[in-house]
Amino acid sequence: MGFTYHWVLAILMLYPKSANSELFAKTSSYFGELASGCNLFSGEWVYDSSSTHLYDSLSCPFIDSQFDCLKYGRPDKDYINYYWKPSSCNLPRFDGVDFLRRLSGKKIMFVGDSLSLNQWNSLVCMLHAAIPNAKTTFVKETPISHITFEEFGVTIYLYTSHYLVDVVKEAKGNVLKVDSIEEGKAWVGMDMLIFNTWHWWLHTGPKAQGWDFIQYGSTIAKDMDRLQAFSRALTTWAHWVNQNVNPSKTKAFFQGISPSHSSDCDKAHEPDKGSTDSIRPEPATVVLKNVLTMLRNPVHLLDVTALSELRRDAHPSKYGGRAGLDCSHWCLPGLPDTWNQLSFNDVN
């Protein structure tokens, strides 16, 4: 992968776990705590077979088939029946009608890779289930797709960007430019932005990674330490946010790092035991939180990494309509529904 062990270790030493809560409080607690002081991202998964699901994948016209695990024959449904229980409070149930009323006339955009698609699919299915007869406009294109709930004037966009920085086609090949965000022009003017990137930084090889060269400053190379590249790109993104996001107009979020599990995710049929307190931060999460402290304009962290780490059972595995095992994305209905409950628990 080109990862440098000593570089990762240096980051972890600079930001030890004992200091994380204080150092990053201004980034995550603003959004992740209720008025009662409850941390919504700290807790455990609880099974409840009687719980009512927020939607049925068969009745959602917007769902991407790769996430529809029941369509592809997943025999067990227990993964749908786990709900997230914060340690010291209850997570309010998502109310789609209230969401659309409060955000009437607003434009929301998810910016990122297929994990953003996963969460975008989840949200629009939750809203469709709340008002199944609502008039909608659905446009699916590359790189921008959108769904508008006409009665409320709410439009939810998806902008596909694997790295949040530019990949430019040049004579020598595709160049990943970690210091450039020209595509950010399409993100301006939104009332809400939800960013995400990480998984594509792990892809290696010409066919998988989507670029032939990587450029940082005046240096053009065949490759570099991927965690360093991720940090450089996020720093570029942070400068873009400071220059282009007006917090009085736009509320911005960063979807926390979505964990991939090993190729044995098909053997899991229940969440891993334990609570989020036992999960050690991933190096990518440490980098992300470090960059977020650089922001002049606040971006609220959806700190879903630890709670998602416990859900090895919630991946499509072999029931996603793709060759091989998918231990990166998530079934729908499923875990991204909880991300959205957390994300939009207190927005207006």
Side-chain angles (χ1 to χ4, degrees):
M1 298 301 297
F3 275 21
T4 304
Y5 170 77
H6 295 291
W7 194 82
V8 175
L9 182 61
I11 291 177
L12 295 175
M13 291 176 67
L14 282 170
Y15 303 101
K17 186 175 181 180
S18 61
N20 278 352
S21 59
E22 180 179 354
L23 180 62
F24 302 129
K26 67 179 181 181
T27 302
S28 59
S29 64
Y30 176 86
F31 180 75
E33 292 184 5
L34 297 173
S36 62
C38 171
N39 183 351
L40 291 173
F41 303 113
S42 176
E44 61 183 346
W45 291 97
V46 178
Y47 183 78
D48 182 4
S49 60
S50 65
S51 62
T52 304
H53 309 140
L54 291 168
Y55 61 93
D56 181 347
S57 62
L58 296 177
S59 62
C60 180
F62 313 119
I63 194 167
D64 193 293
S65 63
Q66 66 177 309
F67 309 136
D68 190 350
C69 300
L70 297 180
K71 174 182 177 180
Y72 286 101
R74 179 161 176 164
D76 66 299
K77 298 182 181 180
D78 283 349
Y79 69 95
I80 302 176
N81 294 318
Y82 284 92
Y83 70 91
W84 178 244
K85 176 67 174 70
S87 298
S88 55
C89 63
N90 292 315
L91 176 62
R93 185 175 174 83
F94 182 84
D95 186 332
V97 176
D98 180 61
F99 175 96
L100 289 167
R101 286 174 177 165
R102 283 187 292 134
L103 295 181
S104 178
K106 303 292 187 183
K107 295 186 291 184
I108 303 163
M109 178 178 277
F110 290 86
V111 182
D113 57 28
S114 54
L115 274 307
S116 291
L117 170 62
N118 224 173
Q119 188 177 359
W120 178 73
N121 262 187
S122 166
L123 177 61
V124 295
C125 285
M126 291 161 69
L127 295 174
H128 177 265
I131 312 179
N133 296 319
K135 183 180 179 181
T136 58
T137 300
F138 181 22
V139 176
K140 189 173 184 180
E141 296 179 345
T142 300
I144 305 178
S145 298
H146 72 268
I147 294 170
T148 300
F149 288 81
E150 300 288 354
E151 178 184 349
F152 301 91
V154 175
T155 301
I156 305 172
Y157 295 88
L158 172 71
Y159 188 100
T160 301
S161 175
H162 295 152
Y163 305 101
L164 298 185
V165 289
D166 297 329
V167 178
V168 179
K169 187 175 181 61
E170 299 184 355
K172 58 180 165 289
N174 291 324
V175 182
L176 174 62
K177 297 177 178 285
V178 297
D179 301 324
S180 171
I181 304 186
E182 287 297 318
E183 65 180 4
K185 296 173 183 177
W187 314 339
V188 175
M190 296 293 145
D191 298 287
M192 190 176 295
L193 287 165
I194 304 99
F195 294 99
N196 153 66
T197 184
W198 172 238
H199 278 212
W200 276 75
W201 295 95
L202 297 174
H203 293 186
T204 59
K207 293 183 179 180
Q209 66 190 22
W211 48 268
D212 304 297
F213 298 90
I214 188 166
Q215 181 173 352
Y216 46 99
S218 59
T219 301
I220 298 178
K222 288 292 291 184
D223 209 343
M224 69 179 292
D225 183 291
R226 297 303 180 84
L227 207 55
Q228 285 184 311
F230 178 63
S231 179
R232 283 178 176 270
L234 283 185
T235 300
T236 300
W237 165 83
H239 289 315
W240 183 91
V241 169
N242 282 336
Q243 293 170 2
N244 294 279
V245 175
N246 179 352
S248 66
K249 158 69 176 174
T250 303
K251 182 172 286 189
F253 301 86
F254 199 103
Q255 175 191 343
I257 304 299
S258 176
S260 292
H261 291 93
S262 63
S263 59
D264 64 350
C265 68
D266 60 320
K267 298 180 175 62
H269 301 289
E270 61 183 16
D272 293 347
K273 303 298 182 184
S275 70
T276 52
D277 296 336
S278 63
I279 305 297
R280 180 178 174 82
E282 292 188 0
T285 299
V286 177
V287 170
L288 169 61
K289 288 184 175 180
N290 182 30
V291 171
L292 290 179
T293 64
M294 299 165 47
L295 288 162
R296 181 177 66 251
N297 297 334
V299 172
H300 312 301
L301 176 63
L302 309 177
D303 202 0
V304 299
T305 307
L307 65 90
S308 303
E309 183 69 48
L310 296 170
R311 293 306 309 272
R312 188 182 307 271
D313 62 309
H315 294 292
S317 65
K318 58 186 177 183
Y319 302 107
R322 303 172 63 180
L325 295 179
D326 182 353
C327 296
S328 296
H329 301 103
W330 307 93
C331 293
L332 295 180
L335 176 65
D337 305 335
T338 298
W339 294 352
N340 281 316
Q341 285 182 274
L342 292 164
S343 303
F344 301 107
N345 172 68
D346 188 29
V347 297
N348 50 58

